[in-house]
Amino acid sequence: MTMPRAATPANARKGRGTFWIFIILASCFLVFLMPAMFALVLVGMVPTWIAGFVERHGVGRVQVTAALNFAGVLPFMAQLWVADGSLRELMRLAGSVYTWAVVYGSASAAIAYLWIGPHLAAMYLDFKAARYTHFYEKQKATLLADWGDALGPEKPRNGKVERG
Amino acid sequence: MAASAANSGRFQQTRYDVNFDQQLPGMETLGGAAYACLDTKDPSNAVYAIVPKDGAAFRHRVLQHMMGRTVPHVICPLQVTPVEIEGGGWVQAVIVPFPSGGPLWRPGPQARFSESELRFDVLPDIVAGLQALDTHDLAHRSIRPDHLHYADAAKTTVTLCECFSELPGQSQPLAFEPIERALAHPAGRGSGTSVDDMFALGVTILSLLTGHIPCEGMSEHDIMASRIARGSYSTYIRDVAPRGAFGALLRGLLCDDPLQRWTMEKLRRWLDGFMPGDPMAVQNYITASHYRFQSRNYTNRRLLAQALHGHFEAAIGELANPSFQGWIRSAVKDEVGSAVVEKTFDHGSRERAALRLNGGTLSKVIQLLDHEGPIRFRSLCYMLDGLNGFVAHAMATQNATAIRDLEDFFNNGFARDAAILAAGDSTRLRRIAMESPEIERHTATRAFGSGMHHVLYALNRALLCQSPLLEHCHVANLPQLLVALEMLAGERADRELLIDEHIAAFASARWSDCMGLVNDLAKNDHRPLEKALLTMKLYGLAQLQFEVGPLPGLCRHFAGKVRGAVKGLHHGRTAELMTRKIDTLMATGDLLRFHDELNFFNVRARDRERYLMARDYLSEIERRLGAIERGFKPTDPVAAHLGQRIAVGAAYLTVLVTALVTAFPGS
């Protein structure tokens, strides 16, 4: 059974580079066009920035954190977008505890995701191993039923002529 | 031998009933035992049966030419027939007319015949018989007084006894054989010609005249020494030489030079009252100077040849002696002999090392010295036309020395040279000499069914198969071989494989088509299964070729051999199917069908191929089963990595759902 290979440091470096290029481009776009939106993202995505800075072993966990963090920020970005990115709306949102609870709560859900994921994976791998084992055992049983004990140590090449 | 003949229907019933209880010692020969026999169709027809003794070779050519014919004044075989005996076997009996008048002569003074009795009552019949044989290009080679009988109870006709049941001249006292043939081993005296019969007739006439056999009481060595030194006539006529017509007759017939000896034509003229001239006295073997060998001087080439043969190993060293080389140059005067001497000793004076000091050269030298005499090499001593009998005798007596010497003689190519020299100008002997390369080919191969065994059966066409397996059956041909083997196979199921060197050689010599199969058998001599299947094929082909009926016993025999191998098949179901097939085919009694439909080698090869594939697959399965990891923990790198990917996927899904909910809040 072929198992997936873990991310190598080279892959991780490459992923991280792409991630930061994306962030810089988005920041440039937002800082000039929608400064309120930029501020919301800058502050709301702090867990992601921290994860991005501290993570040294691939981008997997950063991706999970970033995705869930973004899922928490996304509804408020929508509200800000509907309010044409006004600073008043930003201040209203910033003044609500609910906003920060949602934003950082969703980011913290990454911990749960990253904890449950390996458990699910272990269960899946065990299930798959059991399925393969069953299949090969069945094949082996069929072979042994057909050939009997002959598949043990090899018999002599020439059967001896029966003497009487 | 069993008490009486029985008939179980194995062979066609013949009209002759052989009584094995009643032997006829008077008609017995070295090669055959004589038994009383009744012609059931015509009881007044007096017959008796001759049954070959163990290892005895009948004269095939004589049997072939005289069978069923009426040759006047010679007893001719009427029929060759297998006669079943009690105990299951059978013997090969030759039915022969019985000379009802009894023997013509019994040794003793009262057994003398007068010259007129001989001339008018006895000799005309004998000469007529010999002339009849001569027209068939046959020689009797057993003429002596006790082999003459009255054919009828009225004792009006004299007849010669049969001459097929023993090797030519084998039982003849030394005095009755011409010198050159008397020097040979009794079994190798050769078929000879009518010239040899003339000599024996001469001695017979002398015996009938005197009432005793010449030189009776003398040792064989003294007889031969005297005959070579003084001539046979002088040796035999010790007291008073017959005078007149009989004196001339005996001088003519007892002449030691075959070219000078009276022929049949001269004998007939003598009977008609003419007097052919005496043979010229030619001293062919006397040399001008003597040669000293083993402290004895020799002036007679024939005696020296005998001495060289008698001290064979010492004589090989003598070849390098320059005085011997010089002597033989002067002693051998004939054109061919001189050329051979020059060629043989060409290097003698210049380069001695080039001279081949071996038995072959000595054999050639002996032949040059005694060009009419037997071929001599170590323990071998046979006439060129007596090789068949000599081989048969050596094999029957299991004379290991003679067999080894024969193999050496042929394998080294010595026999070919000696045969050419011995053949001389005779077309008949040259034809025999031409068979030497073929014999060499067989003696060089010591494989199963080849070697001396093959030579034995190839040279002796009437010889029964000498296999110890067939001790109760006289097997004369392939169909009889199959019947005998069927009988043996039916007797006991646990027999060893029913083939041996004798049977293989017999089959290949009698049926040349099976030579290839016998060669294959030789190659597989140490592989029991292959040998068994090839033997089955051989017998199956013979069964088809000679239209022998079903052979269920042999089928059972070979089935027993194959069953063991079938058990060795890896695939149990295939083995089971093969066993059922064997049971079915075995019942048919058809060996060739059994062999072909069983096709065991192919089945075994396929079984082996499938077995190897199954083994490979099983080991691959076990490898894969061993490679499967179980009991994963979340902390395992594989599970952790996969878990992370699951988390990433779930996170992106969450984003997607959130985006959708955000974009379409009311729906």
Side-chain angles (χ1 to χ4, degrees), chain B residues 110-171:
Chain B
Q110 68 277 25
R112 287 183 187 174
F113 282 73
S114 66
E115 289 187 0
S116 63
E117 277 176 322
L118 274 177
R119 181 161 194 161
F120 299 110
D121 300 336
V122 178
L123 281 179
D125 288 351
I126 299 173
V127 173
L130 290 178
Q131 193 157 28
L133 282 174
D134 197 30
T135 55
H136 291 285
D137 195 23
L138 296 172
H140 190 281
R141 301 287 288 111
S142 296
I143 302 170
R144 61 175 190 255
D146 56 333
H147 277 181
L148 299 173
H149 299 274
Y150 288 112
D152 51 345
K155 301 193 176 188
T156 54
T157 315
V158 176
T159 184
L160 285 160
C161 71
E162 52 81 18
C163 56
F164 59 83
S165 69
E166 63 182 16
L167 295 170
Q170 188 183 13
S171 66

Side-chain angles (χ1 to χ4, degrees), chain A residues 1 3-7 57-61 63-68 70-72 74-76 78-79 110 113-126 128-130 132-137 139-140 143-144 146-147 150-164, chain B residues 493-497 527-530 532 559-565 567-573 604-605 607-608 610-612 614-615 617-618 621-622 624-625 627-635 637-652 654-655 658-660 662:
Chain A
M1 189 169 60
M3 291 297 171
R5 286 182 301 169
H57 302 289
V59 293
R61 281 183 280 197
Q63 277 178 311
V64 176
T65 310
L68 290 175
F70 184 68
L74 193 61
F76 303 107
Q79 285 182 27
Y113 272 48
L114 287 169
W115 183 80
I116 291 171
H119 278 83
L120 285 176
M123 283 167 63
Y124 167 72
L125 288 172
D126 272 342
K128 208 165 109 175
Y132 274 122
T133 304
H134 175 71
F135 172 75
Y136 287 130
E137 290 288 1
Q139 290 285 309
K140 186 178 171 182
L143 259 185
L144 291 175
D146 192 18
W147 289 88
L151 287 181
E154 192 173 358
K155 288 184 181 181
R157 173 73 180 83
N158 285 319
K160 284 199 173 177
V161 172
E162 192 177 64
R163 302 218 181 259
Chain B
D494 59 344
R495 280 190 178 276
E496 291 287 316
L497 186 61
R527 296 179 185 163
L529 175 65
E530 278 80 353
K561 305 296 169 199
V562 181
R563 269 186 223 280
K567 282 179 193 165
L569 288 177
H570 297 98
H571 196 240
R573 201 167 137 64
R604 195 179 64 177
D607 174 73
R608 167 101 184 139
R610 286 180 58 204
Y611 167 73
L612 289 177
R615 271 190 61 161
Y617 187 41
L618 182 67
I621 286 173
E622 280 172 349
R624 288 189 179 193
L625 277 170
I628 292 172
E629 295 174 29
R630 296 175 188 81
F632 283 96
K633 290 178 182 164
T635 49
V638 179
H641 180 75
L642 185 63
Q644 201 174 70
R645 288 177 64 184
I646 291 169
V648 170
Y652 284 137
T654 307
V655 172
T658 309
L660 287 172
T662 308

